[in-house]
Amino acid sequence: MKKEAVFWILAILIISGMFIFSSEDGLQINPNAKLPTGLATGNAPKPVDLNYNNLALFLSKTQFVEDIPKNSIISIKFYNFNSGERQLEKSFILKKGEVHEGTPDNEDLVILIHSKYIQELNTLNFCSTISKARNNGDLGIEYGGSEVGILWKFRSMKKHSECFGF
């Protein structure tokens, strides 16, 4: 009983302190904010200087690739507009836990992104870079079949949907 009372007193103090600091100091507290994976344990991932030589290895270690459903294939294609028209530079095949360079014939989903974002796709801001490309009109998503079918197949990746605007 005594421990429960101490717990509630501490909880009330912490919550009231959040309101005091947020109103007096102008601090904004987002109750829905989540720490990026690894930061809560002190194992914060380090940013990586990305290029086409290390991109497949980097992507293969992301949570996004780990969350791809079994028997699903995603293609990520990088392009530029150096000639005034879209030119594909490189294409990578993403499967659950693996990434390699190439172009599949039977992908479920195609992600097209301008190559100017490659260096920004690092461990600390993968999602924010994808969102930035989407907001700037530099990201495209293509899929075969129905939207409902794709949403059902990739339902286990719902936590990544905000990045892609779904």
Side-chain angles (χ1 to χ4, degrees):
M1 184 78 168
K2 206 174 202 182
K3 287 182 182 179
E4 187 175 303
V6 170
F7 168 78
W8 284 111
I9 291 170
L10 286 173
I12 291 169
L13 287 173
I14 290 170
I15 292 171
S16 63
M18 289 170 52
F19 286 112
I20 291 168
F21 286 121
S22 66
S23 62
E24 290 178 6
D25 297 338
L27 297 175
Q28 298 296 318
I29 298 173
N30 180 354
N32 299 320
K34 296 178 185 172
L35 286 174
T37 304
L39 292 181
T41 61
N43 298 326
K46 303 273 188 279
V48 177
D49 186 21
L50 290 176
N51 56 52
Y52 284 134
N53 295 327
N54 62 2
L55 187 61
L57 179 61
F58 166 75
L59 288 174
S60 68
K61 295 179 180 184
T62 62
Q63 190 63 49
F64 178 79
V65 171
E66 285 299 319
D67 291 341
I68 295 174
K70 291 180 182 175
N71 303 318
S72 297
I73 300 172
I74 298 175
S75 175
I76 185 166
K77 298 179 179 183
F78 293 91
Y79 66 87
N80 68 57
F81 275 105
N82 296 344
S83 67
E85 294 182 21
R86 182 185 296 175
Q87 293 180 316
L88 289 178
E89 290 182 7
K90 292 278 186 177
S91 179
F92 294 86
I93 301 168
L94 288 66
K95 296 180 181 178
K96 183 169 187 65
E98 67 179 86
V99 178
H100 58 276
E101 189 176 339
T103 306
D105 295 327
N106 55 347
E107 66 262 65
D108 299 297
L109 198 63
V110 177
I111 300 169
L112 293 153
I113 185 169
H114 198 292
S115 60
K116 67 184 178 185
Y117 296 98
I118 289 174
Q119 290 182 340
E120 290 184 43
L121 287 172
N122 63 47
T123 18
L124 297 178
N125 62 10
F126 180 80
C127 183
S128 64
T129 301
I130 293 294
S131 295
K132 179 180 175 181
R134 179 178 46 86
N135 291 336
N136 291 337
D138 294 326
L139 181 80
I141 307 288
E142 299 175 354
Y143 52 89
S146 72
E147 186 173 345
V148 172
I150 287 297
L151 291 173
W152 180 254
K153 185 168 191 169
F154 289 95
R155 68 190 178 277
S156 64
M157 296 185 74
K158 184 175 179 358
K159 65 183 168 188
H160 303 285
S161 63
E162 271 184 36
C163 300
F164 295 93
F166 298 123

